[in-house]
């Protein structure tokens, strides 16, 4: 092979082994940014909906535990006894056979707040609710309260 061809071949090999150009990297970054702007809001929206569904399921589970407590004791825990009566026998209660929750702990709602409990309730034998993402009464969307009586 002559020297010119060898030099040209070495130049091509070393040129292709240098890596990516700045333009190529910028194009990839722009594409990733566009994908994130399209996919990101959809994922965030699904996350909020999942937390609402989780809170509803937890309220149902707590309601089932309260019903079991009622069947064994003959009344729901008072507001003073609270949901703690589902995992620890309240003083003076006869027939307690708990704990009534699988994990022996009272769950917090998906936003990290305690569930609210009142017995006797204003909407039934007991009222059980989550204050939503904002931790305050009322609200809309993720901030809306979730209740056992809905």
């Amino acid at each position: 092979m002559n020297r010119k061809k060898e030099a040209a071949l070495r130049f091509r090999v070393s040129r292709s082994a240098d890596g990516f150009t700045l333009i190529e990297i910028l194009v990839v970054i722009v594409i990733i940014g566009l994908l994130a702007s399209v996919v990101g809001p959809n994922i965030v929206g699904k996350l909020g909906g999942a937390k609402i569904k989780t809170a509803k399921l937890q309220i149902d589970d707590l309601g089932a535990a309260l019903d079991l407590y009622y069947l064994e004791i003959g009344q729901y825990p008072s507001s003073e006894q609270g949901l703690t009566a589902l995992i620890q026998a309240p003083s003076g209660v006869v027939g307690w056979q708990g704990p009534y929750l699988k994990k022996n702990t009272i769950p917090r709602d998906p936003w990290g707040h305690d569930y609210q409990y009142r017995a006797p309730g204003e909407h039934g034998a007991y009222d059980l609710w989550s204050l939503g993402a904002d931790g305050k009464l009322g609200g809309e969307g993720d901030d809306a309260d979730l209740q056992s009586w809905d």
Side-chain angles (χ1 to χ4, degrees), residues 18-123:
D18 284 346
F20 297 107
T21 65
L22 180 60
I23 298 293
E24 291 169 331
I25 292 172
L26 289 175
V27 168
V28 169
I29 290 172
V30 167
I31 291 171
I32 291 172
L34 289 172
L35 287 173
S37 68
V38 170
V39 174
N42 291 334
I43 291 173
V44 170
K46 300 275 186 209
L47 181 61
K51 286 186 175 187
I52 290 170
K53 288 179 184 176
T54 300
K56 288 180 180 179
L57 287 172
Q58 285 178 329
I59 288 172
D60 289 345
D61 287 346
L62 288 168
L66 287 164
D67 290 341
L68 184 56
Y69 180 96
Y70 177 82
L71 288 173
E72 291 185 355
I73 307 301
Q75 64 185 22
Y76 290 103
S78 66
S79 294
E80 293 77 33
Q81 293 167 332
L83 296 174
T84 304
L86 298 175
I87 59 171
Q88 294 176 350
S91 61
V93 172
V94 178
W96 191 88
Q97 307 232 348
Y100 300 98
L101 296 172
K102 288 181 185 178
K103 294 185 179 179
N104 203 20
T105 59
I106 300 166
R108 297 182 77 133
D109 72 14
W111 301 280
H113 306 113
D114 290 330
Y115 282 99
Q116 307 298 305
Y117 174 75
R118 175 177 46 224
E122 296 176 3
H123 303 278

